[in-house]
């Protein structure tokens, strides 16, 4: 699936958009776990419905860091797909990335699972897994993985839910939620690289 005119404009404007957000501090917060909290609930028990119709256990990634990101195809941050792919390749064997497409914010992900997968592969070279489209915001339909990420009683410390598309959650090699990154924080920012290397 090729890019629409809007998607091409967003891709072109992304570098300017990123610099503006960095200079103004808009959407650049990073929340870090400070006390090595043991999660009351085990993220490795989570099974993810992938958008190719298969199911995947996060237990397969035990021993590696995991970056979980809620995504959309028609967002100013959509070019971060390319940066997420670059990040995965940079830390091959040490970091896994998984995207959770969602239509929660201004209906910026209207595509079907097949359309989303085609768009990501064709335009951004994405090879990491994509979950089936779901909701990432608090509520009865919230994806179980995002319930774990955004409820302190499950992850041990964090109640922060995604404020927008491309919020990022970093999981440690032993299944702890290490940090939450706002959408404007680039996947290849020094803050992200330090958190992964730490």
């Amino acid at each position: 699936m090729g890019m629409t005119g809007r998607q091409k404009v967003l891709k072109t404007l992304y570098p300017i958009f990123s610099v503006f957000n960095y200079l103004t501090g808009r959407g650049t917060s990073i929340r870090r776990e400070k006390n090595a909290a043991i999660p009351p609930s085990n993220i490795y028990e989570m099974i993810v419905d992938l958008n190719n119709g298969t199911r995947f256990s996060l237990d397969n990634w035990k021993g590696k860091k995991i970056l979980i990101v809620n995504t959309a195809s028609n967002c100013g941050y959509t070019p971060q797909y390319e940066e997420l792919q670059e990040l995965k390749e940079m830390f091959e064997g040490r970091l896994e990335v998984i995207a959770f497409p969602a239509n929660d914010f201004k209906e910026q992900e209207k595509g079907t699972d097949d359309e989303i997968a085609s768009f990501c592969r064709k335009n951004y070279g994405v090879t990491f897994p994509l979950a089936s489209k779901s909701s990432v915001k608090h509520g009865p339909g919230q994806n179980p993985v995002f319930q774990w990420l955004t409820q302190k009683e499950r992850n041990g410390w964090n109640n922060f839910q995604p404020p927008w598309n491309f919020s990022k959650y970093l999981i440690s090699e032993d299944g702890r939620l290490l940090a939450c990154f706002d959408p404007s924080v680039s996947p290849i920012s020094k803050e992200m690289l330090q958190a992964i290397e730490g």
Side-chain angles (χ1 to χ4, degrees):
M1 183 174 156
M3 286 193 187
T4 64
R6 171 187 162 85
Q7 289 164 338
K8 288 176 184 173
V9 169
L10 289 172
K11 186 173 185 179
T12 302
L13 293 178
Y14 174 68
I16 298 163
F17 182 59
S18 296
V19 170
F20 173 79
N21 287 339
Y22 177 77
L23 293 174
T24 60
R26 183 171 170 257
T28 57
S29 293
I30 301 170
R31 293 154 192 81
R32 300 178 198 277
E33 196 284 319
K34 296 179 176 70
N35 301 310
I38 302 299
S41 175
N42 187 348
I43 195 166
Y44 295 125
E45 294 175 357
M46 298 280 177
I47 305 293
V48 179
D49 291 320
L50 298 180
N51 78 353
N52 62 7
T54 64
R55 306 191 84 210
F56 180 80
S57 172
L58 292 180
D59 185 63
N60 290 311
W61 289 341
K62 194 181 284 188
K64 298 180 183 181
K65 285 194 168 81
I66 305 171
L67 188 66
I68 298 172
V69 189
N70 65 293
T71 60
S73 300
N74 288 291
C75 177
Y77 296 111
T78 299
Q80 287 189 13
Y81 268 127
E82 193 168 344
E83 295 176 342
L84 289 166
Q85 181 65 31
E86 184 180 340
L87 184 72
K88 181 188 177 342
E89 292 170 7
M90 199 182 300
F91 290 96
E92 195 65 48
R94 296 166 49 200
L95 171 77
E96 298 293 346
V97 176
I98 184 167
F100 283 76
N103 197 35
D104 290 335
F105 303 101
K106 298 282 188 188
E107 297 190 349
Q108 294 184 343
E109 186 54 277
K110 292 184 177 181
T112 65
D113 282 344
D114 286 344
E115 289 169 340
I116 294 165
S118 173
F119 170 82
C120 290
R121 278 193 308 270
K122 182 173 182 180
N123 299 295
Y124 294 105
V126 167
T127 62
F128 53 81
L130 304 170
S132 184
K133 189 165 81 170
S134 62
S135 177
V136 299
K137 291 168 68 174
H138 287 164
Q142 187 181 32
N143 186 291
V145 171
F146 276 79
Q147 289 175 17
W148 188 92
L149 293 170
T150 63
Q151 295 176 15
K152 181 178 180 178
E153 59 272 19
R154 296 179 190 228
N155 64 55
W157 66 277
N158 177 61
N159 283 319
F160 170 75
Q161 68 172 331
W164 199 253
N165 305 306
F166 289 86
S167 299
K168 303 156 198 77
Y169 297 81
L170 184 64
I171 309 295
S172 71
E173 292 88 344
D174 59 356
R176 291 177 295 111
L177 178 59
L178 292 176
C180 311
F181 300 84
D182 268 4
S184 289
V185 180
S186 165
I188 53 174
S189 65
K190 71 176 194 290
E191 293 85 359
M192 179 67 75
L193 299 182
Q194 286 169 354
I196 294 169
E197 289 167 348

